[in-house]
């Protein structure tokens, strides 16, 4: 028979695993962003001259870092793809207004980065069963 204390403790551990995984994803994003940015600058000089291209390159860098970490944690490829989509969607939403001249490149980067965190969290909440347990 499960006691209320055991159930509460188990629930708390699940919440902590979820929060820790979210933080791990953020760290992996930043690792990907900082590790791959110099590679892009070397391979494609001037890549950061266009805010729309720079936004997509940055989303790619962050997605690579996150995808590698998720693969290490043995997430399925569909879950990895969903999380990577959460990295791109905020930027993709901002590109048409940028191309139409309604917003500047700074707005694309600021809004895209700001919305990516709740977008990631939304995917994790939507698939919470995949993020509340260990993947090792």
């Amino acid at each position: 028979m499960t006691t209320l204390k055991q159930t509460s403790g188990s629930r708390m551990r699940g919440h902590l695993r979820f929060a820790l995984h979210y933080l791990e994803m953020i760290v992996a994003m930043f690792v990907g962003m900082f590790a791959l940015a110099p590679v892009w600058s070397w391979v494609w000089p001037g890549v950061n001259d266009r805010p729309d291209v720079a936004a997509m390159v940055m989303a790619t860098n962050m997605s690579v870092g996150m995808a590698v970490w998720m693969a290490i944690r043995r997430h399925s490829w569909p879950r990895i793809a969903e999380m990577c989509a959460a990295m791109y969607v905020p930027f993709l939403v901002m590109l048409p207004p940028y191309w139409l001249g309604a917003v500047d490149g700074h707005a694309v980067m600021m809004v895209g980065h700001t919305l990516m965190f709740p977008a990631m969290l939304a995917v994790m909440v939507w698939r919470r069963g995949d993020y509340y347990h260990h993947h090792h």
Side-chain angles (χ1 to χ4, degrees), residues 63 66-72 74-86 131:
S63 293
M66 201 167 44
V68 166
W69 184 245
M70 288 181 76
I72 289 169
R74 297 185 183 148
H75 284 272
S76 68
W77 288 110
R79 296 301 82 81
I80 293 170
E82 288 170 352
M83 194 58 72
C84 289
Y131 296 99

Side-chain angles (χ1 to χ4, degrees), residues 86-103:
M87 304 302 300
Y88 286 97
V89 168
F91 291 109
L92 292 173
V93 166
M94 292 303 295
L95 291 181
Y98 171 74
W99 292 328
L100 293 171
V103 298

Side-chain angles (χ1 to χ4, degrees), residues 36-50 53-54 57:
L36 295 175
V39 174
W40 280 102
S41 295
W42 178 71
V43 171
W44 188 357
V47 69
N48 292 319
D49 294 346
R50 289 193 46 189
V53 174
V57 167

Side-chain angles (χ1 to χ4, degrees), residues 4 13 50 56 58-60 65 69 71-73 77 80 85 98 101 104 106 113 115 118 121 124 126:
L4 182 59
R13 282 190 300 278
R50 289 193 46 189
M56 292 294 94
M58 189 172 296
T60 299
W69 184 245
I72 289 169
R73 299 221 357 144
W77 288 110
I80 293 170
Y98 171 74
D104 64 5
H106 181 73
H113 280 93
L115 293 179
L121 187 58
M124 288 180 69
W126 179 41

Side-chain angles (χ1 to χ4, degrees), residues 11 13-15 17-18 128-135:
R11 188 174 305 136
R13 282 190 300 278
H15 292 322
R17 275 194 298 273
F18 184 89
R128 63 186 158 272
D130 292 320
Y131 296 99
Y132 267 84
H133 61 80
H134 292 290
H135 294 280

